[in-house]
């Protein structure tokens, strides 16, 4: 193909698409197709339009109701400007009109696409005939590898058309159909469609069929935004969308746009060219590159050094390297979780750090730990994830359809009603991938997806990733496994210290290092840690073939700090809260052992207190007798409630940390997440408090009346116990947000309970003890015992703490309603303060580019 390729424009329902001869276009009801037709007469994958070498062709894929040209049903036929095709019915089925296109000649567009897709020929590079072994390392150290062998001939074939496009080539000319000087959008690709914008026209975008531009993208709201053409210029107005409208990566409500602005709506990007609005749909044809990434930690130590590479479109890339080579740091830098101190990450020539608010919607991340609740069934886990990630106006039927589609794609439909815990390791990883695929990301990162899997499951997971790439996504996987590297298109090898030792085809990597196995390569990394592996790489012809173009771009002298952005929220705060509460309740309800333990613990503690045969009344003070048992009973109840409340929550945040980090990156509200925990755990704590008090108080006589609830002293005491449980539950959340592993929670829980015993004020005198009294103010048990002490009048029932002056009583135990109110306010204030502390601590577990 060359100068004779005629450009063809397809028109359907008032929309137009400029067809690119280098690709084919699928038509049907499949939401993943190129042209989606919502008509029952059209099959799921009805037909394809493509360039056939000598002319444009439309081919029917065995559709149920057929494809018709001039009233005749066809299987395959040539089409051109002036052709009309009906789908599903020869007379009134959806009509496709084909015409020639105004603008740049089609041959020029195609030639630009072809030239820019073959960087090897463009730069005049030839397959290497001979490799010169690099010089000896400094200090007389010998060369760590074996004799380098010339690459196999098949390893040096010309890159395919989907190969990475060098940045210099992209910058050399404006994108197809675009104006000179406009920022590159989707490289050199032609727009998916274009729309004329005459003055006075208003074009509304959304999923609903009454929009002028209907977008079949669940990331887009039903009525998302409007383009308005006025005498003063073109304007974009957000219509209160859930996922936001973006101009140059920044969320906007209303803004005038110019020819250099890029407007983002879901997976679609728009740009003005004259009076024409061009649309580019992100279908996976995106480039991704890292340029001179350097990460420096405290003390000036570099743990990632000048890493540059370009990722081909729709490919599978593996990142391997020994421990300490910076693989995890690189993954965090590439995803924005921990931006590099220097360098840039470009998603289709757009800076990820500066436009993270928009681009994060198009990137999927599967951490090493599963990002789902294992207690739920597969379908239920995906259902809650879809509810949180899709816009609030998405119908349940739309979410279910997308879930079914992903389950079929990953062959999980036969496991959809199984609990995640019942799945094998490879199947659980598939569910984690399925969760990310719900929003149709174009780029997917995976961190050690095969960790802990046997060789068979390792192969299954890598074949799954190969299939994801073949289906139109770019997949980058960090892995320790080297058994299935042949499935990858490119391999990035990291050397100790965080530098690149190799980037290129995996079949040439061992030959490059001069070893027969990867075990030998990794041993060389360990034995020759001071060797300049990066220098050897940059001096090789492999580097000239696969990385010189992207690495030639100079890094920024001063790295611009990424703009801190508030993530858009797909669901309203209340909707997120309700969904999170339902999910958390489902997780707890599915764990019957945990439920039984939560009810058994307060029952046992209440029963232990009931073993003390004493009432809360006064003994015989005239004979010097006091009721010390009253204080002991309250001590047991209070400490038991401290332990119960903290035990409920002390593991809840740490066990969901990976889930929270990922969901926060895609729009989860931090406060809604915490409030869902607080509400559900508070309900459990109330039940436990009532159960404890019912058992502990039922066997003994209480005071005749209370201070606040005159006729209900038992309820007044129970409120104190419940308040103590709530505050200790909040302290448990603080502990859970501080620790790095779940194993550290139990020792801290025991220590917390013991400290509360000491500071109850029952065992020794706390008031008028400088230092000790002030520390006691921070202890919830101190205020809870004081609250109960006011109701029970423990100052007079128990023997005085100050034997030298029996009238010197604890002021916090004064038998008055005001003192009871003060004790309760102080107790609850500690709990509320802990809530604000948790909010702050949760910030540490979200992408750094999002932190305020």
């Amino acid at each position: 193909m060359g100068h004779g390729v005629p450009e063809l424009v397809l028109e359907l329902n008032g929309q137009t698409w400029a067809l690119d001869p280098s690709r084919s276009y699928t038509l049907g009801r499949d939401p993943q197709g190129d042209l989606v037709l919502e008509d029952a007469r059209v099959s799921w994958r009805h037909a394809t339009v493509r360039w056939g070498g000598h002319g444009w062709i439309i081919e029917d894929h065995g559709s149920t109701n057929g494809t018709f040209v001039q009233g005749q049903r066809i299987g395959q036929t040539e089409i051109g400007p002036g052709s009309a095709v009906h789908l599903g019915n020869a007379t009134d089925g959806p009509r496709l009109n084909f015409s020639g296109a105004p603008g740049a000649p089609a041959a020029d567009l195609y030639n630009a696409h072809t030239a820019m897709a073959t960087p090897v020929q463009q730069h005049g590079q030839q397959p290497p005939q001979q490799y010169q072994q690099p010089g000896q390392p400094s200090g007389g150290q010998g060369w760590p590898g074996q004799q380098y062998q010339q690459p196999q001939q098949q390893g040096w074939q010309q890159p395919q058309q989907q190969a990475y496009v060098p940045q210099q080539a992209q910058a050399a000319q404006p994108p197809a159909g675009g104006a000179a000087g406009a920022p590159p959008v989707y490289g050199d690709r032609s727009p998916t469609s274009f729309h004329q914008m005459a003055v006075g026209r208003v074009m509304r975008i959304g999923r609903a069929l009454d929009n002028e531009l209907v977008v079949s993208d669940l990331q887009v709201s039903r009525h998302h935004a409007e383009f308005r053409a006025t005498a003063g210029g073109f304007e974009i107005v957000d219509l209160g969308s859930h996922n936001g409208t973006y101009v140059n990566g920044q969320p906007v409500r209303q803004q005038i746009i110019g020819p250099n602005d890029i407007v983002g709506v879901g997976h679609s990007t728009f740009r003005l060219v004259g009076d024409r609005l061009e649309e580019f749909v992100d279908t996976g044809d995106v480039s991704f590159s890292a340029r001179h990434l350097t990460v420096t930690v405290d003390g000036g130590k570099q743990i990632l050094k000048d890493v540059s590479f370009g990722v081909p479109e729709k490919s599978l890339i593996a990142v391997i390297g020994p421990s300490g080579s910076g693989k995890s740091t690189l993954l965090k830098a590439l995803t924005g979780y921990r931006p590099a101190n220097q360098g840039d990450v470009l998603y289709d020539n757009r800076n990820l750090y500066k436009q993270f608010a928009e681009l994060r919607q198009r990137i999927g991340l599967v951490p090493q730990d599963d990002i789902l609740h294992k207690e739920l069934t597969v379908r239920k886990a995906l259902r809650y994830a879809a509810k949180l990630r899709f816009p609030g106006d998405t119908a349940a039927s739309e979410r279910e359809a997308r879930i079914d589609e992903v389950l079929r794609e990953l062959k999980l439909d036969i496991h959809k009603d199984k609990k995640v815990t019942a799945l094998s390791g490879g199947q659980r990883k598939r569910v984690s991938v399925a969760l990310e695929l719900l929003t149709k990301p174009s780029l997917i990162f995976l961190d050690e997806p095969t960790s802990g899997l046997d060789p068979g499951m390792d192969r299954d997971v890598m074949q799954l990733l190969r299939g994801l790439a073949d289906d139109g996504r770019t997949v980058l996987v960090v892995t320790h496994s080297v058994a299935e590297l042949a499935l990858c298109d490119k391999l990035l090898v990291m050397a100790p210290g965080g530098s690149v030792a190799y980037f290129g085809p995996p079949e040439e990597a061992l030959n490059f290092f001069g070893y027969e196995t990867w075990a030998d390569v990794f041993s060389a990394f360990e034995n020759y840690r001071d060797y300049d592996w990066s220098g050897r790489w940059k001096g090789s012809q492999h580097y000239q073939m696969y990385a010189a173009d992207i690495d030639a771009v100079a890094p920024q002298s001063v790295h611009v700090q990424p703009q801190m952005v508030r993530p858009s929220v797909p669901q309203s705060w209340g909707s997120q809260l309700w969904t999170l509460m339902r999910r958390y309740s489902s997780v707890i309800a599915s764990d019957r052992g945990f439920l039984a333990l939560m009810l058994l613990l307060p029952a046992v503690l209440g029963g232990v207190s009931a073993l003390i045969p004493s009432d809360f009344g006064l003994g015989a003070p005239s004979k010097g007798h006091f009721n010390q048992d009253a204080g002991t009973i309250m001590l047991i109840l209070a400490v038991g409630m401290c332990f119960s409340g903290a035990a409920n929550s002390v593991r809840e945040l740490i066990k969901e940390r990976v889930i929270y980090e990922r969901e926060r990156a895609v729009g989860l509200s931090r406060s809604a997440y915490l409030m869902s925990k607080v509400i559900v755990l508070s309900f459990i704590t109330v039940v436990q408090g009532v159960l404890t008090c019912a058992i502990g108080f039922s066997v003994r006589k209480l005071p005749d009346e209370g201070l606040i609830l005159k006729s209900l002293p038992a309820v007044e005491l129970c409120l104190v116990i419940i308040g103590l449980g709530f505050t200790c539950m909040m302290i448990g959340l603080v502990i859970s947000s501080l620790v790095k592993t779940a194993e550290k929670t139990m020792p801290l829980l025991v220590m917390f309970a013991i400290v509360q015993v000491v500071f109850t004020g029952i065992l020794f005198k706390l008031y008028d003890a400088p230092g000790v009294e002030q520390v006691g103010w921070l202890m919830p048990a101190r205020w809870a015992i004081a609250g109960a002490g006011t109701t029970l009048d423990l100052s007079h029932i128990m023997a005085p703490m100050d034997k030298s002056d029996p009238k010197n009583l604890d002021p916090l135990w004064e038998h008055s309603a005001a003192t009871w109110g003060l004790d309760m306010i102080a107790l609850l204030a500690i709990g509320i303060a802990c809530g604000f502390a948790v909010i702050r601590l949760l910030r540490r577990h979200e992408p750094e580019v999002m932190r305020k």
Side-chain angles (χ1 to χ4, degrees):
M1 293 185 294
H3 295 278
V5 179
E7 186 175 76
L8 194 66
V9 173
L10 185 154
E11 181 182 352
L12 172 66
N13 295 331
Q15 300 184 47
T16 55
W17 290 264
L19 304 186
D20 184 347
S22 66
R23 57 166 295 192
S24 62
Y25 296 83
T26 59
L27 297 83
R29 290 186 292 108
D30 183 1
Q32 290 189 321
D34 298 298
L35 281 78
V36 182
L37 295 92
E38 300 291 344
D39 192 302
R41 296 169 296 181
V42 177
S43 296
W44 188 255
R45 294 184 178 178
H46 195 104
T48 297
V49 177
R50 59 184 173 84
W51 173 256
H54 301 285
W56 288 95
I57 293 173
I58 185 168
E59 179 181 359
D60 185 274
H61 289 312
S63 63
T64 302
N65 295 317
T67 302
F68 300 88
V69 175
Q70 295 181 350
Q72 301 296 319
R73 182 165 183 166
I74 57 97
Q76 177 177 312
T77 188
E78 288 195 3
I79 53 175
S83 297
V85 179
H86 285 87
L87 305 181
N89 187 284
T91 57
D92 61 353
R95 176 181 172 125
L96 311 177
N97 294 313
F98 297 91
S99 62
D108 293 342
L109 293 171
Y110 180 72
N111 290 337
H113 180 88
T114 305
M116 293 167 68
T118 55
V120 175
Q121 293 183 349
Q122 177 179 339
H123 291 277
Q125 297 169 351
Q126 299 295 329
Q129 301 299 321
Q130 186 175 2
Y131 182 86
Q132 297 295 327
Q133 183 169 308
Q136 296 285 347
S138 59
Q141 183 181 356
W143 167 246
Q146 305 297 323
Q147 179 64 34
Y148 182 87
Q149 301 296 325
Q150 181 175 341
Q152 297 296 321
Q153 185 65 32
Q154 62 267 27
W156 294 93
Q157 295 175 353
Q158 176 179 321
Q160 298 179 359
Q161 188 167 335
Q162 68 176 17
Y164 174 77
V165 183
Q167 178 66 12
Q168 294 95 322
Q170 292 182 357
Q173 62 188 55
V185 180
Y186 297 135
D188 60 313
R189 287 182 289 282
S190 300
T192 307
S193 63
F194 53 84
H195 315 272
Q196 293 299 129
M197 292 294 293
V199 174
R201 182 181 180 185
V202 175
M203 186 174 69
R204 189 172 60 190
I205 306 170
R207 293 194 338 270
L209 297 179
D210 59 349
N211 292 288
E212 286 74 21
L213 177 54
V214 180
V215 181
S216 58
D217 180 359
L218 289 182
Q219 293 291 85
V220 176
S221 299
R222 294 184 61 82
H223 298 101
H224 195 104
E226 284 182 349
F227 281 102
R228 299 173 181 173
T230 65
F234 294 93
E235 185 178 38
I236 180 69
V237 179
D238 184 84
L239 299 178
S241 64
H242 294 83
N243 279 327
T245 302
Y246 301 86
V247 174
N248 301 324
Q250 302 305 315
V252 298
R253 290 298 181 189
Q254 184 171 351
Q255 184 167 321
I256 300 294
I257 57 174
N260 292 328
D261 291 326
I262 299 173
V263 180
V265 175
H267 286 82
S268 298
T269 303
F270 300 88
R271 186 187 60 205
L272 279 173
V273 179
D275 60 350
R276 188 171 72 172
L277 186 68
E278 296 186 343
E279 178 186 8
F280 299 81
V281 178
D282 187 345
T283 58
D285 293 310
V286 296
S287 62
F288 185 80
S289 61
R291 294 183 181 174
H292 305 283
L293 298 183
T294 299
V295 174
T296 305
V297 295
D298 295 339
K301 180 182 179 181
Q302 291 184 343
I303 56 177
L304 203 66
K305 298 179 181 178
D306 196 27
V307 175
S308 298
F309 63 94
V311 176
E313 301 170 0
K314 298 183 179 180
S315 59
L316 175 60
I317 298 90
V319 180
I320 65 172
S323 298
S325 59
K327 301 187 299 297
S328 296
T329 302
L330 175 62
L331 186 65
K332 291 179 180 179
L334 293 177
T335 57
Y337 274 63
R338 199 291 187 194
N341 300 98
Q342 292 182 339
D344 298 293
V345 176
L346 300 184
Y347 178 98
D348 228 31
N349 301 317
R350 301 175 65 186
N351 191 301
L352 176 64
Y353 297 160
K354 297 179 180 178
Q355 303 187 24
F356 184 80
E358 176 188 355
L359 297 181
R360 66 188 172 87
Q361 303 284 357
R362 309 187 191 183
I363 296 177
L365 173 63
V366 180
Q368 183 173 347
D369 297 325
D370 293 327
I371 50 175
L372 40 87
H373 294 85
K374 298 178 182 179
E375 301 85 356
L376 302 178
T377 64
V378 172
R379 175 178 285 280
K380 188 171 287 188
L382 294 180
R383 187 175 291 159
Y384 284 123
K387 178 69 174 174
L388 289 171
R389 298 190 180 198
F390 289 144
D393 59 3
T394 306
S397 59
E398 294 177 292
R399 293 195 299 269
E400 291 296 323
R402 179 58 186 157
I403 291 171
D404 289 338
E405 187 179 348
V406 170
L407 289 173
R408 287 194 301 269
E409 180 180 0
L410 298 183
K411 298 180 176 60
L412 287 169
D413 46 341
I414 60 175
H415 304 295
K416 61 185 178 182
D417 294 322
K418 294 180 181 177
K419 284 189 176 183
V420 177
T421 51
L423 303 179
S424 66
Q427 291 168 343
R428 283 201 301 270
K429 193 57 64 176
R430 282 178 178 265
V431 179
S432 293
V433 173
L435 191 149
E436 291 299 308
L437 291 186
L438 288 173
T439 54
K440 297 185 179 180
S442 300
L443 181 63
I444 303 177
F445 293 93
L446 298 100
D447 186 12
E448 301 287 355
T450 61
S451 178
L453 302 183
D454 60 48
M457 290 184 180
D458 181 358
R459 179 182 58 193
D460 290 343
V461 171
M462 291 301 292
Q463 288 178 341
L464 164 67
L465 303 184
R466 177 71 265 171
L468 293 178
D470 294 338
D471 286 341
R473 306 173 184 91
T474 299
V475 182
L476 188 147
V477 53
V478 175
T479 180
H480 277 109
S481 175
V482 296
E484 305 296 334
L485 294 180
L487 293 172
C488 302
D489 298 296
K490 290 290 188 295
L491 176 64
L492 176 67
V493 183
M494 300 294 293
S499 58
V500 177
Y502 173 82
F503 178 73
E507 62 270 15
E508 299 175 15
L510 287 175
N511 200 25
F512 171 82
F513 288 107
Y515 291 102
E516 295 183 356
T517 67
W518 282 108
D520 294 331
V521 175
F522 281 31
S523 294
F525 283 149
E526 181 64 28
N527 296 332
Y528 301 92
R529 296 187 70 89
D530 294 332
Y531 182 72
D532 187 9
W533 295 99
S534 179
R536 176 179 184 259
W537 156 244
K538 291 184 177 179
S540 69
Q541 292 190 10
H542 277 80
Y543 172 81
Q544 296 298 324
M545 286 289 294
Y546 301 115
D549 289 323
I550 189 65
D551 206 27
V553 181
Q556 298 179 358
S557 57
V558 178
H559 181 69
V560 178
Q561 289 296 324
Q563 181 173 353
M564 303 305 178
V565 297
R566 180 181 298 276
S568 58
V569 181
Q571 300 278 334
S572 66
W573 189 89
S575 179
Q576 280 197 14
L577 175 62
W578 178 241
T579 301
L580 291 167
M581 288 173 55
R582 289 173 55 203
R583 183 178 69 179
Y584 189 31
S585 299
S586 297
V587 170
I588 293 177
S590 64
D591 191 345
R592 296 181 180 178
F594 181 64
L595 277 176
L597 182 61
M598 285 192 300
L599 295 176
L600 181 63
L601 182 60
V604 170
L605 293 173
V608 169
S609 70
L611 296 178
I612 302 175
S614 176
D615 293 327
F616 285 124
L618 189 64
S622 61
K623 297 182 180 181
H625 293 170
F626 295 94
N627 188 356
Q628 293 297 122
D629 290 342
T632 304
I633 294 169
M634 289 310 305
L635 173 65
I636 294 173
L637 293 175
V639 174
M641 200 61 206
C642 284
F643 192 85
S644 297
N648 290 340
S649 60
V650 76
R651 300 171 70 93
E652 293 308 299
L653 298 183
I654 180 61
K655 75 178 184 181
E656 290 187 0
R657 183 160 297 171
V658 176
I659 298 174
Y660 171 76
E661 289 176 353
R662 182 61 193 135
E663 290 184 342
R664 176 65 176 150
V666 294
L668 178 70
S669 167
R670 187 193 311 141
S671 59
Y673 175 77
L674 176 59
M675 189 57 65
S676 70
K677 298 289 185 187
V678 171
I679 292 175
V680 175
L681 291 174
S682 294
F683 176 78
I684 294 172
T685 302
V686 168
V687 174
Q688 289 178 326
V690 171
L691 183 59
T692 299
C693 294
I695 296 175
F697 296 157
S698 62
V699 296
R700 64 191 82 256
K701 182 180 178 181
L702 297 177
D704 294 332
E705 62 178 27
L707 296 171
I708 302 297
L709 305 174
K710 297 296 184 180
S711 60
L712 298 172
V715 175
E716 189 170 293
L717 288 171
C718 192
L719 289 176
V720 174
I721 295 299
I722 291 172
L724 175 61
F726 167 80
T727 299
C728 291
M729 179 266 293
M730 297 301 296
I731 292 176
L733 290 177
V734 173
I735 295 174
S736 191
S737 62
L738 282 172
V739 297
K740 293 184 178 180
T741 62
E743 289 74 17
K744 295 180 180 179
T745 58
M746 195 53 61
L748 292 174
L749 176 61
V750 173
M751 181 182 69
F752 168 73
I754 293 175
V755 170
Q756 298 310 304
V757 173
V758 175
F759 285 93
T760 54
I762 296 291
L763 301 180
F764 63 93
K765 177 184 174 182
L766 286 178
Y767 59 95
D768 289 339
V772 177
E773 181 179 16
Q774 285 69 38
V775 173
W777 292 344
L778 302 176
M779 303 298 164
R782 165 66 167 148
W783 297 101
I785 289 294
T790 60
T791 299
L792 298 173
D793 197 12
L794 289 182
S795 293
H796 296 95
I797 292 177
M798 293 177 55
M801 291 289 180
D802 192 344
K803 306 298 183 181
S804 62
D805 184 5
K807 295 183 179 180
N808 186 6
L809 304 177
D810 191 334
L812 298 183
W813 292 11
E814 182 183 347
H815 189 59
S816 69
T819 305
W820 188 91
L822 172 65
D823 294 336
M824 287 297 293
I825 290 173
L827 176 62
L828 297 177
I830 294 175
I832 295 172
C834 289
F836 285 104
V838 175
I839 283 285
R840 299 292 296 176
L841 291 170
L842 282 175
R843 292 177 61 253
R844 304 184 307 164
H845 309 300
E846 55 192 49
E848 187 174 319
V849 73
M850 294 172 59
R851 298 179 192 173
K852 293 294 180 182

